[in-house]
Amino acid sequence: MLTYEDCIALSDLTDEEVEAIAEHDHIPRMVAAELGAYLVHTDKGVPMIQRFILEDIEHARKHGNELHALKLKLVLKHFVDNHTQLSNV
């Protein structure tokens, strides 16, 4: 049986990136790991995940949660640093 941690490792995403997808789509983290694993390996998926995180940042700011917005900015930076070159191949 695979654990949540196994699924994260197989997804090519960090736990924080999966959490951002879960937050955006209001879905359980395990489902977000599956969705993220699929999206991160498609041409349109990487920009879509970026948009999810940007929308999460905007939502946090709109609701006065600057600390969460800052955390998500770090998640976005890590995601961009590690995945945007893959979408340009």
Side-chain angles (χ1 to χ4, degrees):
M1 176 186 282
L2 292 176
T3 66
Y4 173 75
E5 289 76 19
D6 294 332
C7 292
I8 292 296
L10 293 170
S11 73
D12 291 328
L13 297 168
T14 66
D15 185 48
E16 292 81 7
E17 291 162 347
V18 170
E19 284 185 31
I21 294 168
E23 178 181 333
H24 183 271
D25 282 355
H26 308 284
I27 56 178
R29 291 185 318 159
M30 185 63 89
V31 176
E34 294 174 38
L35 176 60
Y38 167 75
L39 289 175
V40 80
H41 294 104
T42 65
D43 291 337
K44 294 181 182 180
V46 169
M48 187 179 292
I49 294 171
Q50 280 182 260
R51 191 182 80 240
F52 288 174
I53 300 170
L54 285 167
E55 289 173 359
D56 288 347
I57 292 168
E58 182 60 31
H59 184 265
R61 282 187 176 148
K62 185 184 275 188
H63 289 87
N65 195 343
E66 281 299 319
L67 185 60
H68 188 55
L70 288 173
K71 177 186 169 192
L72 287 167
K73 284 175 107 177
L74 292 174
V75 173
L76 179 62
K77 180 180 180 349
H78 182 272
F79 182 79
V80 169
D81 289 348
N82 290 282
H83 294 287
T84 54
Q85 71 278 5
L86 297 176
S87 66
N88 295 327
V89 174

